Amino acid sequence: MIRAETGVDAESMRAARMDPGRFADLYDRYAAQLYRYAYQRVGAETAEDVVADTFLAAFTQRDSYDPERLDARPWLFGILTRKLARHFRAEKTHYRALLRASAESTVDGHAERVAARVTASAVRAPLVAALGRLSAGDRDVLLLIAWCDFSYDEVAAALDIPLGTVRSRLNRARRKVRAALGGIDPTGEV
């Protein structure tokens, strides 16, 4: 995961106020990360639209960016998460489609890859169903941590919620997902 050096984002945002072309620095640095996260949530077509909307909103709001924020990544993911909330219906439809999708055929390769795919296929449908049953807030916290490798502080900043709320939502989401999977931890952590 590409992370900007401390303060580089704040400098890019300051420069973008005077020279809008400098906003492209943020796009270059974070567009792929935002797209991957959105793609996993709503699929390819909607992800492209939501990421474009996110950067348009960020560009429009660049003059109000807090220069004390050295890292723009949580700010951008916060905007993206709010955009995704507007596309919640498409996300729910995507989860339902994943449930109906047949298991992927195994690709020839190493025995470990095959075993991993078989294991993943076994929990895919229940995992997708469990994610679909989570509240939007719980799902946002869980997926930002699981798919984007966000820290609790970054999630709090992205969603503009207190750190304690991040912890309680994550705990609740993990508990519900584990229960839906019959006590299995999908991350494989002990």
Side-chain angles (χ1 to χ4, degrees):
M1 176 139 340
I2 298 170
R3 298 243 183 175
E5 293 178 32
T6 304
V8 171
D9 291 345
E11 178 54 37
S12 293
M13 290 301 287
R14 272 192 292 278
R17 287 181 178 161
M18 300 303 290
D19 176 10
R22 288 289 306 275
F23 190 80
D25 295 345
L26 286 177
Y27 181 86
D28 293 341
R29 212 168 5 258
Y30 297 116
Q33 291 177 39
L34 291 166
Y35 177 78
R36 277 191 300 274
Y37 179 68
Y39 176 84
Q40 291 174 307
R41 301 263 330 243
V42 294
E45 184 176 320
T46 303
E48 290 175 10
D49 293 342
V50 173
V51 170
D53 287 348
T54 297
F55 277 104
L56 178 61
F59 181 78
T60 304
Q61 298 169 30
R62 74 187 183 283
D63 289 336
S64 63
Y65 182 82
D66 179 3
E68 296 297 312
R69 267 186 196 211
L70 299 177
D71 185 2
R73 185 172 173 253
W75 179 67
L76 289 168
F77 272 91
I79 295 170
L80 175 64
T81 300
R82 287 186 291 282
K83 297 289 182 183
L84 285 169
R86 291 189 184 111
H87 292 277
F88 184 73
R89 186 179 310 226
E91 183 180 32
K92 282 275 220 199
T93 302
H94 179 70
Y95 283 140
R96 279 189 233 121
L98 283 174
L99 273 173
R100 290 190 302 267
S102 61
E104 294 179 30
S105 60
T106 11
V107 177
D108 293 331
H110 301 285
E112 294 83 20
R113 262 180 57 202
V114 173
R117 283 183 180 255
V118 169
T119 302
S121 293
V123 296
R124 181 179 183 174
L127 178 59
V128 169
L131 289 173
R133 285 193 297 270
L134 292 176
S135 71
D138 289 356
R139 185 174 42 251
D140 290 341
V141 168
L142 179 68
L143 297 181
L144 282 170
I145 288 173
W147 289 350
C148 296
D149 199 28
F150 266 37
S151 69
Y152 291 11
D153 290 330
E154 288 174 317
V155 172
L159 301 179
D160 196 26
I161 58 176
L163 188 58
T165 303
V166 171
R167 289 186 174 121
S168 62
R169 286 181 181 179
L170 181 61
N171 183 337
R172 184 173 40 249
R174 284 178 172 164
R175 191 175 60 247
K176 287 179 178 180
V177 168
R178 239 182 245 118
L181 298 178
I184 295 171
D185 183 349
T187 65
E189 295 176 4
V190 178

